[in-house]
Amino acid sequence: MKAERTKRNVLVIAVAAAVLGPTVPLTATAATPMTSRPLVWEKCEGSGLDPRQECSTVEVPMDYSDPGGEKVALAVSRIRSEKPSARRGALLLIAGGPGGGSLDEVSTKGRTLPREVRDTYDLIGFDPRGVGRSDPVDCGLESGDLDRSTFFPWPAPDGSVDANMATARRTADACARDGGELARHISTADNARDIDRIRATLGERRLSAWGVSYGAYTGVVYSQLFPRRTDRVVLDSNPDATAATAHPELGGVPRATWTGFETGVEDVFPVFAEWASAPGNPDRLADRAGQVRPLLLRLAARLDREPIPWPGARPAELNGNVLRQAVVDAFYDPGEGFPGLARLILHARAGTVPPAPEPAPEPLVRNALSVALATMCNDARWPSSAARYQEDVDASRAAYPLTAGMPRNAIACAAWPWPPREEPVRITDRVPSTVLLVQNERDPATPLAGARRLRAALGARAVMVTTDSTGHDAYLGNGNACGDRIVSRYLATGQRPAADVRCR
């Protein structure tokens, strides 16, 4: 994933007694009319957009168990098919996160789609409930809690989770205090229901979709809840959606997604080590690939003991956990990430720092992280015991030293004041065959092992394209030409491979 998208694609929480309304059964979704009042499309705000992009607003129920109650406004966008005679319908872009939006991706990602796909569909983007230009959520998180090496719950250098539990209580408190009623009504199932409202308001009988990362999870939940309203569905960079029902007591899909960083970073590291030891590399770190791992681990331990001041950075020092987080971030997009990480390592070994990266605007980050926490914590019940997290972190640190226990640690969900309103959506093979998965073999955030479990759960309704590639965001991103051709052909013509494919 590109650095700017990574800021928003967060996989990324007083404990208060809260009694919500009755749990909404999974099968109980508010009736969605096939058509409704036509949308009023206007010119979109913003710079660098395709001049054809237009924007509108769709209203949806805040609480689907009370469809006549308070409404939430969703910002939607559109670029019409470039060839009306070839138009099949609408292709919805579902962004990652949770906390990301696709409102302007119809312009940015839309430019990367081949002409035959742009001819086939109106491209549709949207900011999910709580995000960006939809009715937003802001938990009022403290400035320090917006730092990536804080939001990603790295334990203390000695492995203690005490500070992480304090952060979890503080951020959960903030959402209970400042998040408003909407913070209680942000979940993946509600995002899927919102998508069906968008489909109906567009006047489409069925909807095609391209979901990436968390967007892939939203996409598979949508096709599970509304199988007769899905057309061609591409799931790109796939979390393990089977964890929703396999281990709900452990935090379901949200916590399983965090846990995936353990194996995901390990899958990518050998590629980085080969690159970082290659002769002729101006950012070379070692003579042999086998030297890179111990070099990195020693450096992180040294920075734990002796952080380097880093004026202008967030936080304002280069410590061991900032370096570890830089590894995770760099592995999303090797083309840009590997050189940047190597230069950071070279600076740190010399006791210096590079120029501080330009921080994203705090309001943008605060909104994205507020939505991320609300989604992950409302989707599933997480453990609340500090002893449980300490046990899990200790085991993870021993088995996966590169991620140092972070993937098993506590976030705000450990102290979230509201229980989930409904059970997670169970992913099955009992729906029409409309899904094409595309997955890189080496993905730091959504590793191949989790994607394979999702593929197995979908059974005959899906085909999976595995690309011999490294990084997050496969289709038209960090995948390869073979995978891109297969996905583009499916979107444009409906032709899928007869069986799963590995693209070298």
Side-chain angles (χ1 to χ4, degrees):
M1 178 178 287
K2 303 300 182 189
E4 183 61 30
R5 286 183 308 206
T6 302
K7 293 173 185 173
R8 293 203 63 151
N9 193 27
V10 191
L11 294 168
V12 323
I13 333 178
V15 179
V19 180
L20 301 183
T23 297
V24 182
L26 287 179
T27 55
T29 58
T32 305
M34 283 304 306
T35 59
S36 58
R37 184 183 308 170
L39 293 173
V40 177
W41 295 98
E42 300 174 338
K43 180 178 175 59
C44 297
E45 297 180 1
S47 60
L49 303 178
D50 188 308
R52 298 169 300 163
Q53 179 178 323
E54 46 192 357
C55 288
S56 190
T57 301
V58 173
E59 284 196 340
V60 300
M62 178 183 291
D63 182 351
Y64 275 90
S65 68
D66 180 19
E70 187 172 352
K71 299 296 189 291
V72 175
L74 304 180
V76 297
S77 60
R78 175 180 71 178
I79 293 179
R80 291 181 180 271
S81 160
E82 296 184 18
K83 187 177 181 181
S85 63
R87 182 186 182 279
R88 175 182 178 85
L91 175 66
L92 182 74
L93 309 186
I94 313 176
S102 62
L103 194 71
D104 293 340
E105 285 188 348
V106 295
S107 287
T108 56
K109 294 180 78 168
R111 294 187 183 108
T112 70
L113 288 164
R115 177 62 186 266
E116 58 268 26
V117 176
R118 303 197 312 268
D119 287 347
T120 304
Y121 301 100
D122 294 345
L123 303 182
I124 306 297
F126 76 113
D127 279 353
R129 56 173 58 205
V131 173
R133 281 162 282 185
S134 296
D135 284 343
V137 161
D138 187 340
C139 287
L141 301 174
E142 295 180 10
S143 182
D145 291 333
L146 306 181
D147 298 344
R148 287 183 67 75
S149 58
T150 300
F151 178 77
F152 281 72
W154 297 95
D158 64 357
S160 169
V161 305
D162 291 348
N164 307 106
M165 291 298 295
T167 300
R169 289 188 290 270
R170 184 173 60 251
T171 50
D173 238 345
C175 285
R177 182 185 63 244
D178 298 329
E181 186 67 17
L182 182 54
R184 303 170 63 178
H185 294 276
I186 296 177
S187 70
T188 302
D190 280 336
N191 286 336
R193 296 175 184 121
D194 290 348
I195 287 172
D196 202 55
R197 288 294 178 117
I198 293 172
R199 174 204 60 78
T201 307
L202 292 169
E204 301 291 334
R205 295 189 63 84
R206 296 194 297 169
L207 187 67
S208 294
W210 170 22
V212 181
S213 193
Y214 170 73
Y217 178 48
T218 306
V220 76
V221 169
Y222 176 74
S223 54
Q224 190 74 49
L225 291 178
F226 302 98
R228 293 178 179 84
R229 298 171 190 170
T230 60
D231 195 9
R232 299 166 185 169
V233 178
V234 172
L235 306 179
D236 180 347
S237 305
N238 297 273
D240 178 11
T242 65
T245 49
H247 299 290
E249 76 285 359
L250 301 182
V253 172
R255 193 167 184 227
T257 300
W258 283 106
T259 303
F261 283 109
E262 291 174 338
T263 53
V265 169
E266 288 290 346
D267 288 346
V268 175
F269 193 85
V271 180
F272 173 68
E274 289 289 345
W275 175 91
S277 59
N281 182 348
D283 301 310
R284 193 180 191 194
L285 298 179
D287 295 330
R288 298 188 305 277
Q291 297 171 326
V292 178
R293 180 186 295 262
L295 178 157
L296 176 63
L297 294 175
R298 286 195 302 269
L299 178 60
R302 191 188 90 193
L303 292 172
D304 284 336
R305 299 187 302 269
E306 303 169 2
I308 303 172
W310 199 359
R314 298 286 309 267
E317 67 176 23
L318 176 56
N319 57 42
N321 284 340
V322 170
L323 178 63
R324 295 179 184 102
Q325 183 62 48
V327 172
V328 174
D329 291 344
F331 284 7
Y332 276 65
D333 182 4
E336 294 183 1
F338 283 7
L341 175 61
R343 292 168 199 151
L344 179 62
I345 292 170
L346 290 169
H347 272 281
R349 293 180 73 191
T352 64
V353 290
E358 182 179 354
E362 276 203 8
L364 174 68
V365 178
R366 187 177 291 109
N367 171 238
L369 298 189
S370 297
V371 174
L373 293 177
T375 308
M376 292 184 291
C377 302
N378 291 332
D379 266 9
R381 189 186 301 275
W382 289 51
S384 59
S385 163
R388 174 59 185 273
Y389 286 107
Q390 189 66 69
E391 179 183 353
D392 288 352
V393 164
D394 290 346
S396 182
R397 286 168 65 84
Y400 303 97
L402 290 173
T403 46
M406 178 274 291
R408 303 269 176 176
N409 210 345
I411 62 172
C413 305
W416 198 245
W418 308 299
R421 297 178 64 85
E422 59 184 310
E423 294 299 315
V425 175
R426 183 178 181 84
I427 305 304
T428 73
D429 62 354
R430 297 191 296 274
V431 291
S433 180
T434 60
V435 174
L436 178 67
L437 294 85
V438 58
Q439 178 72 35
N440 287 344
E441 288 190 356
R442 296 166 297 278
D443 183 323
T446 54
L448 179 60
R452 283 175 168 162
R453 286 189 286 271
L454 172 60
R455 167 69 188 90
L458 294 172
R461 68 180 278 212
V463 173
M464 182 163 164
V465 179
T466 305
T467 60
D468 182 13
S469 302
T470 302
H472 194 56
D473 195 353
Y475 178 49
L476 304 178
N478 291 309
N480 61 28
C482 165
D484 291 349
R485 283 194 301 270
I486 292 173
V487 176
S488 295
R489 183 170 62 244
Y490 175 57
L491 288 174
T493 70
Q495 296 179 22
R496 288 190 311 180
D500 292 352
V501 176
R502 182 174 186 264
C503 279
R504 294 186 180 277

